[in-house]
Amino acid sequence: MLLIAYGISFICALLLIAALFLYFRKRFRARVVSLFMLAAFFFLGAYTVKMAVAFWIRFTSASGGAAVYATLKSNAWAVAQVGTTVGLLVLTVLMYTKGQDIFVSLPKRGKRSHENSH
């Protein structure tokens, strides 16, 4: 049952990341990006890594060189958990400070350095 839940979570996260990628492509072209959506994208990325590590842990068996793999799995899980936690923290702060409507205006590429040279 747990593997089915992991699989559904992993597939949904991948589908959401793909949809958000398309959203961000449009937003970066417009040079304005929602901070809340960036935080959501970061969270989903970390969560997807976490689900991949969960599959890795679940489907690999211990062998003679298990200590190295156990350390890698543990470190990968810790990094994914920290990323997930940071993403959730940022989303929570933005939600409770009414910051979900904050947009970041991106500068045009190469324009600033070109203007400063004249």
Side-chain angles (χ1 to χ4, degrees):
M1 189 66 162
L2 184 60
L3 288 176
I4 292 170
Y6 280 169
I8 291 170
S9 295
F10 186 71
I11 290 168
C12 287
L14 285 176
L15 290 172
L16 285 169
I17 285 172
L20 281 172
F21 178 78
L22 295 174
Y23 164 82
F24 282 121
R25 232 174 72 184
K26 290 178 189 174
R27 299 310 308 160
F28 281 123
R29 284 184 184 146
R31 313 302 305 160
V32 177
V33 181
S34 165
L35 189 58
F36 191 83
M37 293 300 284
L38 276 174
F41 190 70
F42 179 80
F43 167 77
L44 276 171
Y47 181 79
T48 304
V49 170
K50 191 174 176 180
M51 286 297 94
V53 172
F55 279 121
W56 182 29
I57 290 170
R58 197 76 167 149
F59 288 116
T60 56
S61 60
S63 62
V68 172
Y69 279 119
T71 301
L72 284 173
K73 289 176 191 175
S74 178
N75 289 340
W77 185 264
V79 167
Q81 181 60 49
V82 168
T84 304
T85 302
V86 168
L88 281 173
L89 180 63
V90 170
L91 288 170
T92 303
V93 167
L94 288 173
M95 186 62 97
Y96 281 94
T97 60
K98 309 288 188 230
Q100 58 269 46
D101 291 332
I102 296 173
F103 286 84
V104 178
S105 180
L106 304 171
K108 298 230 181 233
R109 286 186 239 162
K111 192 99 164 151
R112 181 173 286 197
S113 62
H114 180 69
E115 288 173 357
N116 290 340
S117 65
H118 288 15

